[in-house]
């Protein structure tokens, strides 16, 4: 670096950074350091080519896409493959080792492609748990790269993507650009002072991955003579460089850097950058990972690394339709992908981008079946890992029973097959329950299997007083609240005895502010469990609040009261379901008694507060506490399913049912409905892709 001006010299008292040569001494501070010449030539990244006089003779490159996917958004992954697909490309799909459902779905994708250019990672040491910041993510990338190199399908560039990526330029534009830059390597550097990056990233700490967590075990000294670099773990790397870093017998540089990064947090964000900077490939480094990312750091980085790291990172926001102009403004820049996209948050932006990239397909896609719908699986009977939430499973099983009960059929042995969240026109509509049961015919002693799917709505047991009519836009109690996207991830709305419920609210902009609201949490037996207080301001009409309830909630219908100036403004009910399942198996009587029979009599509410709100609690009818223990003993011992079904009926409504196996049942076939998970979905259909 250049010698700084003497006018900028600071006193030694300003030095607060550990010296790399002797950590007992301090030698500088942020953007202040008293070493002004290292003997190392200043690094300058290469510029990408956008035109060439030989462009007509440039041979089109082939791309190998490494898809590292997680979660349950199988249809979104299929849509991504659909829009990227070209027979000259290779698709290698790595599914998180803990995700059984998505793995089975991707095996079906592989099976559907007869050209053999879609492959799924399988076998020993080829699938890993892709935890945030994990050392195993670098292992995943390198092991996958080795498999892709061994594949007979030749390729020139490796591009890694996730299930939440989507292209923002068409295939022809990407191929043309990479063909002009064959042999170059695209990575995004941190863009800040190196020592600050090292400290913030925790590269000066030693981490060990164990039990799908990264554990910090102490400080460390980075190797001398190595230029540390890093930034984003989304890259586009040349085949030559991949052959170098993924070599089964690597040279000393790669070998020793692999030892360093094995014990590093977020190693995939620095390993490739550092190897590039310190190897013969340094003149192929282009500071651009071809991505635009929707960073809204005030929302997505509320606890970034927490002084490295216990336990959260920094996550981009999802693109929404209102962000389309930002994507459109990249048209003249060397950006080809964007992230993050989630159909459960906003499918309209994905539709808009696809229409923009391929306007010639507009009429065909808009008129296609399932174009404005989205389905995301929440449970599948074949799932082994991870375990499904027991409250979700309990309610799903109850809805399966209630579906067959609604058909007035002589049934037995009801079996839940799948639970799916259903969206229409970018709005969450309800839950789909696919189930089967053995039907006993009355006229002949013969049994047969019937399979149906039902569309279930969540009842919004919410009402306002006359004075507050129209002043509350939404009020919802649920779990798994995403602060970044300001929505609940628990689409089923299932709350169990060990859940941590949260209230989200949105008040109308015409409301008088400031205004104080008291929120009373009342258990099924009329006892005040907690009181929250919120102050509504003109700029804070939307938010969420978490009550400090007991760790073991009383099961049954809870009540929420919103009070303004001692007058009841709104009230709502929500269900804390008794559990019919424990660790995904049918709960036994002893465990059911322990889980479902808690009385919750140790609320930390003072006598003064109880007295203050007694006028309100006395005006509402609740279950009698005196019969609590006796009633629940009976329900747990012999009638647990009936108890659960009665409660579930109060909070969920079965609206439609279709025939899922084309029998003589007098119902519409599911494949012919607009809502069933078995109906056509052209966006995610890859059967004719290859």
């Amino acid at each position: 670096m250049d010698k700084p001006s003497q006018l900028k010299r600071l006193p030694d008292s300003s030095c607060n950074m550990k010296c790399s040569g002797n950590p007992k001494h301090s030698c500088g501070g942020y953007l202040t350091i008293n070493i002004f010449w290292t003997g190392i030539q200043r690094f300058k990244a290469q510029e990408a080519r956008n035109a060439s006089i030989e462009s007509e003779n440039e041979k089109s490159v082939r791309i190998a896409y490494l898809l590292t996917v997680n979660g349950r958004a199988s249809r979104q992954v299929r849509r991504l493959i659909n829009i990227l697909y070209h027979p000259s490309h290779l698709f290698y799909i790595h599914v998180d080792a803990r995700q059984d459902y998505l793995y089975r779905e991707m095996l079906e994708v592989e099976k559907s492609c007869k050209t053999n250019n879609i492959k799924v990672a399988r076998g020993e040491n080829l699938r890993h748990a892709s935890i945030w910041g994990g050392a195993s993510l670098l292992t995943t990338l390198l092991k996958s790269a080795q498999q892709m190199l061994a594949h007979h399908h030749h390729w020139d560039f490796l591009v890694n993507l996730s299930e939440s990526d989507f292209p923002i330029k068409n295939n022809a534009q990407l191929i043309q650009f990479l063909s002009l830059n064959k042999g170059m390597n695209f990575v995004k550097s941190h863009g800040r002072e190196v020592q600050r990056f090292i400290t913030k990233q925790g590269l000066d700490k030693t981490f060990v991955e164990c039990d799908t967590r990264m554990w910090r075990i102490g400080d460390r000294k980075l190797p001398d003579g190595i230029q540390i670099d890093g930034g984003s773990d989304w890259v586009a790397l040349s085949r030559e460089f991949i052959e170098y870093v993924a070599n089964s017998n690597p040279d000393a540089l790669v070998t020793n850097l692999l030892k360093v990064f094995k014990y590093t947090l977020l190693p995939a964000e620095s390993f490739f950058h550092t190897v590039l900077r310190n190897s013969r490939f340094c003149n192929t480094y282009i500071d651009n990972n071809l991505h635009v990312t929707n960073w809204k750091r005030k929302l997505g980085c509320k606890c970034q690394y927490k002084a490295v790291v216990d336990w959260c990172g920094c996550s981009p926001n999802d693109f929404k339709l209102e962000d389309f102009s930002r994507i459109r403004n990249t048209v003249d820049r060397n950006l080809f992908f964007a992230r993050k996209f989630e159909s459960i948050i906003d499918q309209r932006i994905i539709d808009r981008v696809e229409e923009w990239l391929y306007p010639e397909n507009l009429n065909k896609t808009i008129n296609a079946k399932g174009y404005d719908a989205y389905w995301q699986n929440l449970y599948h009977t074949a799932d082994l890992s991870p375990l499904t939430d027991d409250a979700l499973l309990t309610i799903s099983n109850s809805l399966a029973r209630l579906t067959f009960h609604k058909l007035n059929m002589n049934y037995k042995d009801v079996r839940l097959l799948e639970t799916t969240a259903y969206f229409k026109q970018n709005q969450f509509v309800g839950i789909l329950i696919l189930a089967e049961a053995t039907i006993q015919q009355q006229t002949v002693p013969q049994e047969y299997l019937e399979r149906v799917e039902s569309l279930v709505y969540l009842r919004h047991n919410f009402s306002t007083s006359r004075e507050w009519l129209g002043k509350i836009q939404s009020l919802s109690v649920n779990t798994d609240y995403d602060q970044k996207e300001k929505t609940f991830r628990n689409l089923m709305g299932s709350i169990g005895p060990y859940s941590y419920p949260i209230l989200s609210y949105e008040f109308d902009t015409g409301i008088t502010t400031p205004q104080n609201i008291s929120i009373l949490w009342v258990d099924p037996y009329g006892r005040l469990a907690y009181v929250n207080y919120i102050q509504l301001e003109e700029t804070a009409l939307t938010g969420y609040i978490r009550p400090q309830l007991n760790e073991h909630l009383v099961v049954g219908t809870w009540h929420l009261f919103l009070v303004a100036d001692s007058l009841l403004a709104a009230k709502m009910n929500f269900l804390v379901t008794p559990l019919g399942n424990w660790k995904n198996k049918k709960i036994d009587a002893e465990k059911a008694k322990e889980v479902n029979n808690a009385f919750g009599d140790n609320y930390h509410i003072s006598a003064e507060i109880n007295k203050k709100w007694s006028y309100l609690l006395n005006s509402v009818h609740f279950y009698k506490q005196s019969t609590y223990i006796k009633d629940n003993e009976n329900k747990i011992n012999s009638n647990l399913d009936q108890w659960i079904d009665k409660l579930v009926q109060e909070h969920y409504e079965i609206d439609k049912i279709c025939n899922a196996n084309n029998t003589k049942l007098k119902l519409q076939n599911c494949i012919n409905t607009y809502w069933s998970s078995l109906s056509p979905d052209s966006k995610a259909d890859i059967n004719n892709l290859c």
Side-chain angles (χ1 to χ4, degrees):
M1 75 177 54
D2 298 329
K3 182 176 179 179
S5 165
Q6 286 294 322
L7 296 175
K8 296 182 179 180
R9 183 184 179 96
L10 296 179
D12 289 344
S13 59
S14 298
C15 296
N16 58 11
M17 193 171 289
K18 291 179 181 177
C19 285
S20 58
N22 186 348
K24 293 181 179 179
H25 294 162
S26 296
C27 64
Y30 174 47
L31 294 181
T32 61
I33 195 159
N34 51 20
I35 297 174
F36 53 85
W37 178 249
T38 63
I40 300 175
Q41 186 176 358
R42 177 182 289 183
F43 177 77
K44 189 176 187 301
Q46 302 297 308
E47 295 291 333
R49 295 168 65 188
N50 286 290
S52 169
I53 57 173
E54 302 173 357
S55 60
E56 292 183 4
N57 300 320
E58 294 282 359
K59 186 178 179 181
S60 294
V61 298
R62 297 184 174 195
I63 301 170
Y65 287 106
L66 170 54
L67 306 183
T68 52
V69 297
N70 201 342
R72 304 188 76 88
S74 65
R75 297 188 188 227
Q76 189 161 323
V77 178
R78 288 167 182 259
R79 185 173 188 175
L80 176 63
I81 295 171
N82 242 333
I83 197 170
L84 292 175
Y85 186 80
H86 189 277
S88 67
H89 298 336
L90 172 66
F91 294 82
Y92 188 82
I93 306 172
H94 176 276
V95 183
D96 186 301
R98 301 163 294 178
Q99 299 294 332
D100 192 55
Y101 168 77
L102 194 57
Y103 179 60
R104 293 194 314 274
E105 288 286 301
M106 292 303 103
L107 289 177
E108 290 299 314
V109 171
E110 180 189 86
K111 190 190 299 183
S112 71
C113 191
K114 307 302 181 186
T115 53
N116 202 33
N117 63 327
I118 298 180
K119 305 299 293 181
V120 177
R122 51 156 70 81
E124 190 175 357
N125 296 324
L126 291 179
R127 286 184 68 201
H128 305 88
S130 48
I131 63 170
W132 181 84
S136 56
L137 183 55
L138 177 57
T139 305
T140 296
L141 295 175
L142 293 174
K143 288 282 187 182
S144 298
Q146 289 173 353
Q147 295 296 305
M148 296 164 82
L149 287 169
H151 195 271
H152 65 82
H153 204 97
H154 182 80
W155 49 269
D156 304 289
F157 276 95
L158 186 152
V159 176
N160 69 323
L161 301 172
S162 76
E163 72 283 347
S164 55
D165 288 276
F166 207 73
I168 54 172
K169 288 190 172 65
N170 63 41
N171 256 322
Q173 291 170 303
L174 175 62
I175 292 171
Q176 180 186 31
F177 176 76
L178 291 179
S179 297
L180 289 169
N181 291 278
K182 191 174 181 181
M184 305 306 284
N185 291 283
F186 296 86
V187 294
K188 185 62 183 172
S189 187
H190 51 82
R192 59 169 66 96
E193 193 267 330
V194 176
Q195 187 58 48
R196 180 170 168 78
F197 170 73
I198 289 172
T199 303
K200 191 172 184 180
Q201 197 84 349
L203 292 171
D204 55 354
K205 315 291 182 189
T206 298
F207 286 83
V208 173
E209 183 172 334
C210 181
D211 294 332
T212 63
R213 294 275 291 217
M214 291 294 285
W215 301 88
R216 194 177 86 190
I217 61 174
D219 295 342
R220 72 174 179 185
K221 182 177 180 295
L222 291 169
D224 294 331
I226 294 293
Q227 298 179 68
I228 299 296
D229 192 19
S232 169
D233 54 355
W234 305 105
V235 296
L237 303 173
S238 69
R239 184 184 183 96
E240 295 79 10
F241 181 66
I242 291 293
E243 288 174 338
Y244 173 66
V245 293
N247 194 314
S248 57
N249 186 26
D251 68 8
L253 174 67
V254 175
T255 298
N256 288 310
L257 283 177
L258 283 172
K259 291 177 182 176
V260 171
F261 284 99
K262 182 179 180 180
Y263 302 103
T264 299
L265 184 73
L266 300 158
E269 294 188 2
S270 293
F271 174 76
F272 297 111
H273 304 66
T274 301
V275 174
L276 274 171
R277 288 282 299 270
N278 293 276
S279 69
R280 68 177 187 272
F281 292 92
C282 59
N283 60 354
T284 66
Y285 185 119
I286 294 179
D287 188 8
N288 174 11
N289 66 351
L290 312 184
H291 268 73
V292 58
T293 305
N294 193 21
W295 288 113
K296 295 179 181 176
R297 295 186 183 272
K298 287 185 178 180
L299 292 172
C301 302
K302 288 184 178 296
C303 57
Q304 184 175 9
Y305 306 167
K306 272 190 179 175
V308 195
V309 63
D310 209 3
W311 184 255
C312 56
C314 202
S315 180
N317 276 69
D318 290 324
F319 279 104
K320 299 182 178 68
L321 186 59
E322 56 264 31
D323 299 312
F324 178 66
S325 60
R326 186 178 169 201
I327 292 174
R328 187 172 50 199
N329 290 340
T330 66
V331 66
D332 295 325
R333 299 171 62 193
N334 294 329
L335 297 170
F336 295 83
F337 302 96
R339 64 189 316 270
K340 297 166 57 171
F341 296 89
E342 282 189 278
S343 294
I344 64 170
I345 299 297
D346 196 332
Q347 182 171 273
R348 299 168 303 172
I349 180 64
I350 304 175
D351 297 338
R352 185 71 185 87
V353 170
E354 188 166 351
E355 292 162 11
W356 180 54
L357 296 182
Y358 298 97
E360 65 275 15
N361 297 336
L362 183 58
N363 290 335
K364 184 173 68 176
T365 54
I366 284 183
N367 296 321
K369 291 184 177 179
Y371 175 77
D372 63 348
Y374 181 70
W375 295 262
Q376 186 146 308
N377 182 275
L378 305 179
Y379 167 79
H380 193 288
T381 186
D383 288 350
L384 299 175
S385 172
L387 290 178
T388 305
D389 175 66
D390 284 315
L392 182 151
L393 196 51
T394 295
I395 294 175
S396 297
N397 275 304
S398 174
L399 290 168
R401 293 190 297 269
L402 291 168
T403 296
F404 278 99
H405 180 74
K406 187 170 183 176
L407 292 172
N408 294 318
M409 302 175 75
N410 189 16
Y411 64 90
K412 66 176 185 178
D413 303 328
V414 177
R415 189 162 78 101
L416 172 68
L417 300 176
E418 292 188 55
T419 303
T420 305
Y422 169 56
F423 297 77
K424 181 78 170 175
Q425 295 179 344
N426 213 52
Q427 297 294 320
F428 172 66
V429 176
I431 297 295
L432 304 177
I433 299 293
L434 182 66
E436 65 182 16
T438 303
I439 307 301
Q440 297 173 308
Q441 299 186 76
Q442 295 178 347
T443 54
V444 292
Q446 191 175 358
E447 298 179 341
Y448 66 98
L449 204 63
E450 194 65 78
R451 181 176 293 187
V452 298
E453 188 168 43
S454 57
L455 171 59
V456 180
Y457 297 137
L458 282 67
R459 299 183 193 271
H460 295 287
N461 299 325
F462 158 52
S463 62
T464 58
S465 64
R466 183 179 301 174
E467 296 78 10
W468 278 76
L469 198 62
K471 294 182 179 180
I472 303 177
Q473 295 293 325
S474 69
L475 206 61
S476 181
V477 175
N478 204 340
T479 64
D480 198 11
Y481 186 75
D482 183 341
Q483 299 179 44
K484 182 166 58 71
E485 302 301 340
K486 298 181 179 179
T487 188
F488 287 107
R489 294 283 178 170
N490 180 358
L491 297 170
M492 186 78 186
S494 47
I495 303 174
Y498 301 108
S499 300
Y500 296 93
I502 289 174
L503 169 70
S504 73
Y505 55 85
E506 181 180 356
F507 290 87
D508 188 77
T509 52
I511 195 173
T512 303
T513 56
Q515 189 159 176
N516 294 317
I517 305 286
S518 301
I519 301 167
L520 281 59
W521 299 77
V522 182
D523 79 4
Y525 299 92
R527 298 170 302 177
L528 186 60
Y530 197 75
V531 182
N532 286 119
Y533 303 97
I534 57 175
Q535 184 174 26
L536 295 181
E537 302 285 356
E538 186 178 352
T539 57
L541 297 174
T542 301
Y544 71 97
I545 200 158
R546 186 194 306 267
Q548 295 179 18
L549 300 174
N550 294 341
E551 291 185 358
H552 193 158
L553 302 176
V554 178
V555 299
T557 298
W558 280 64
H559 311 270
L560 200 74
F561 299 99
L562 272 69
V563 183
D565 296 326
S566 299
L567 297 175
L568 183 64
K571 61 181 179 181
M572 69 173 298
N573 299 332
F574 66 93
L575 174 63
V576 175
T577 181
L579 295 186
N581 296 83
W582 183 255
K583 295 186 177 178
N584 289 197
K585 294 180 180 179
K586 187 75 175 175
I587 198 167
D588 61 49
E590 184 178 346
K591 194 67 183 179
K593 184 176 180 180
E594 174 193 335
V595 170
N596 298 329
N597 210 12
F599 190 50
D601 54 358
N602 57 340
Y603 299 128
H604 302 293
I605 299 291
S606 68
E608 182 182 353
I609 292 178
N610 264 311
K611 184 178 179 181
K612 176 182 178 181
W613 299 111
S614 60
Y615 75 94
L616 182 62
L617 301 182
N618 291 336
S619 67
V620 181
H621 173 72
F622 299 101
Y623 303 137
K624 293 181 180 179
Q625 295 184 35
S626 59
T627 61
Y628 176 88
I629 296 176
K630 182 179 178 181
D631 283 357
N632 281 12
E633 287 281 1
N634 292 334
K635 291 169 183 173
I636 288 167
N637 287 336
S638 57
N639 300 305
L640 178 57
D641 285 351
Q642 291 92 321
W643 181 28
I644 293 170
D645 292 352
K646 182 177 183 299
L647 288 167
V648 168
Q649 276 186 300
E650 294 173 5
H651 295 270
Y652 295 82
E653 176 189 356
I654 297 172
D655 180 61
K656 295 179 175 67
I657 305 175
C658 65
N659 185 349
N661 59 351
N662 298 322
T663 59
K664 295 179 181 179
L665 191 64
K666 293 181 180 179
L667 291 171
Q668 185 179 16
N669 286 336
C670 292
I671 198 170
N672 296 326
T673 71
Y674 65 88
W675 54 266
S676 169
S677 65
L678 303 175
S679 62
D681 181 7
S682 57
K683 306 180 302 300
D685 183 10
I686 62 169
N687 288 323
N688 299 317
L689 191 65
C690 303

